[in-house]
C-alpha cells in the first residue's frame, strides 16, 4: 500500500501531522507493506526567493489578526508540537519561499534520502535558530547532513529549472485530488485524510485502506495454463 503526503516545510501543521501519522504507522501491523511518498505543496507558490519576513508579520498581513493573536497561535502550535515530542521555536522564526527545498526533496527521493531531508528541513525551520530561507549554504549543509552529494545539491540550487517540473506536477495533482490545504494524506488513491488528525484517526485510515484493497483481477484471454517462469525455472513446452 502506498501513502502519499502532500506538505510544505513552512506549514506547522504538516510538521505536527507527520509526527502523528508516523506514530500510527509505527503501530500498524502491516508497517513493512506501506510505502510513504512525500509530495510537494507550496503555501506561497510564486513567492520570490528573497522575500523573507518574520512569521508574525506574515500572519498579521495574511489573516488580518493582531500581533498578539498571531503570537498566541504560535504558542498554541508550540504546545501541540511538544505533545508530539517535537521542538518548536515560538519566537523569532521567519517565513519565505520553499520552492528550492521542494526541488531538493525530489532530488533526495531519487537517492532514497527524501525522508531524512524532509525531517532535516522541518527541524531547521521550526526548531533551530538559523533560517532556511534565501540561504543556499544552509540548504546545502542540511542536504549533505541528510546524505546527499554536495556538488549535486549545489548544481540543483544553481539551476532553477532542476526538478521544477516535478514540484509543479505534484501541485497540479494535489489540486486534481481536491486538496486545498496541507497536510493532505492519500492512501492507495482510495482514501484521503486532510489535516494534522489525531493518531487514532490515522490508525483507522490505515486499517481501512489496507482491508479494502481490491484483489488483483487476472486477464488470461482464455489461455488458461499459459507458460510462466518461477523460482523453480520456466515451463518447457512439450510436444
Amino acid at each position: 500500500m502506498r501513502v502519499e503526503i502532500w506538505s510544505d516545510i513552512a506549514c506547522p501543521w504538516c510538521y505536527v501531522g507527520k509526527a502523528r501519522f508516523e506514530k500510527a504507522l509505527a503501530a500498524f501491523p502491516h508497517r513493512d507493506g506501506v510505502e510513504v511518498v512525500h509530495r510537494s505543496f507550496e503555501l506561497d507558490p510564486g513567492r520570490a526567493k528573497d522575500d523573507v519576513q518574520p512569521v508574525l508579520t506574515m500572519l498579521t498581513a495574511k489573516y488580518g489578526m493582531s500581533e498578539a493573536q498571531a503570537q498566541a497561535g504560535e504558542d498554541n502550535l508550540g504546545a501541540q508540537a511538544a505533545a508530539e515530542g517535537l521542538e518548536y521555536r515560538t519566537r523569532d522564526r521567519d517565513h519565505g519561499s520553499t520552492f528550492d527545498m521542494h526541488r531538493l526533496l525530489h532530488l533526495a527521493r531519487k537517492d532514497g534520502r527524501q525522508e531524512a531531508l524532509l525531517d532535516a528541513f522541518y527541524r531547521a525551520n521550526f526548531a533551530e535558530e538559523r533560517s532556511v530561507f534565501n540561504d543556499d549554504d544552509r540548504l546545502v549543509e542540511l542536504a549533505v547532513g541528510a546524505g546527499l552529494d554536495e556538488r549535486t545539491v549545489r548544481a540543483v540550487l544553481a539551476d532553477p529549472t532542476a526538478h521544477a517540473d516535478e514540484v509543479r506536477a505534484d501541485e497540479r495533482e494535489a489540486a486534481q485530488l481536491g486538496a486545498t490545504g496541507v497536510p493532505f494524506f492519500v492512501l492507495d488513491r482510495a482514501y484521503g485524510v486532510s489535516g494534522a488528525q489525531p493518531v487514532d484517526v490515522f490508525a483507522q485510515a490505515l486499517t481501512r485502506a489496507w482491508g479494502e484493497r481490491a484483489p488483483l483481477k487476472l486477464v488470461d484471454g482464455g489461455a488458461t495454463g499459459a507458460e510462466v517462469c518461477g523460482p523453480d525455472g520456466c515451463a518447457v513446452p512439450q510436444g
Side-chain angles (χ1 to χ4, degrees):
M1 183 169 74
R2 171 180 281 197
V3 178
E4 297 162 278
I5 307 173
W6 274 264
S7 61
D8 192 11
I9 300 93
C11 165
W13 288 117
C14 296
Y15 180 48
V16 172
K18 183 176 187 293
R20 292 175 178 171
F21 172 76
E22 287 175 347
K23 288 180 180 179
L25 185 60
F28 186 55
H30 309 289
R31 168 65 186 94
D32 291 343
V34 178
E35 176 192 12
V36 178
V37 176
H38 294 279
R39 302 289 192 190
S40 298
F41 190 106
E42 293 172 276
L43 294 177
D44 274 337
R47 189 184 187 105
K49 183 172 180 174
D50 61 357
D51 183 5
V52 181
Q53 62 184 157
V55 166
L56 292 189
T57 301
M58 180 274 293
L59 292 173
T60 56
K62 187 171 184 177
Y63 300 107
M65 60 178 64
S66 68
E67 187 169 313
Q69 289 173 319
Q71 186 59 66
E74 282 292 286
D75 291 340
N76 176 58
L77 279 163
Q80 298 272 358
E84 305 304 330
L86 302 171
E87 294 182 59
Y88 190 101
R89 294 176 65 241
T90 61
R91 302 290 189 280
D92 302 322
R93 287 195 308 107
D94 56 13
H95 177 80
S97 171
T98 57
F99 185 58
D100 282 351
M101 285 180 270
H102 284 296
R103 295 195 300 117
L104 290 177
L105 285 168
H106 276 281
L107 170 68
R109 183 183 175 192
K110 297 178 187 300
D111 291 340
R113 302 285 183 177
Q114 188 185 53
E115 190 84 28
L117 183 57
L118 181 59
D119 285 340
F121 284 159
Y122 274 143
R123 184 170 55 253
N125 184 41
F126 292 108
E128 298 176 3
E129 185 173 350
R130 184 177 171 187
S131 177
V132 294
F133 300 108
N134 196 25
D135 185 346
D136 285 358
D137 287 339
R138 177 62 164 148
L139 297 186
V140 170
E141 174 187 292
L142 293 168
V144 170
L148 276 70
D149 175 71
E150 180 176 348
R151 291 181 63 184
T152 304
V153 171
R154 289 193 182 278
V156 168
L157 290 173
D159 177 5
T161 68
H163 301 289
D165 287 346
E166 292 152 279
V167 175
R168 298 306 182 209
D170 277 356
E171 293 173 337
R172 287 194 300 271
E173 195 164 16
Q176 291 165 1
L177 290 169
T180 57
V182 285
F184 188 69
F185 302 77
V186 176
L187 291 77
D188 248 10
R189 291 299 171 107
Y191 292 95
V193 178
S194 180
Q197 298 285 349
V199 174
D200 62 338
V201 172
F202 287 123
Q204 291 168 20
L206 286 166
T207 299
R208 185 170 182 178
W210 183 271
E212 295 185 14
R213 289 173 302 150
L216 188 67
K217 296 179 175 63
L218 294 177
V219 178
D220 62 16
T224 304
E227 293 82 1
V228 298
C229 291
D232 297 325
C234 298
V236 178
Q238 303 294 318

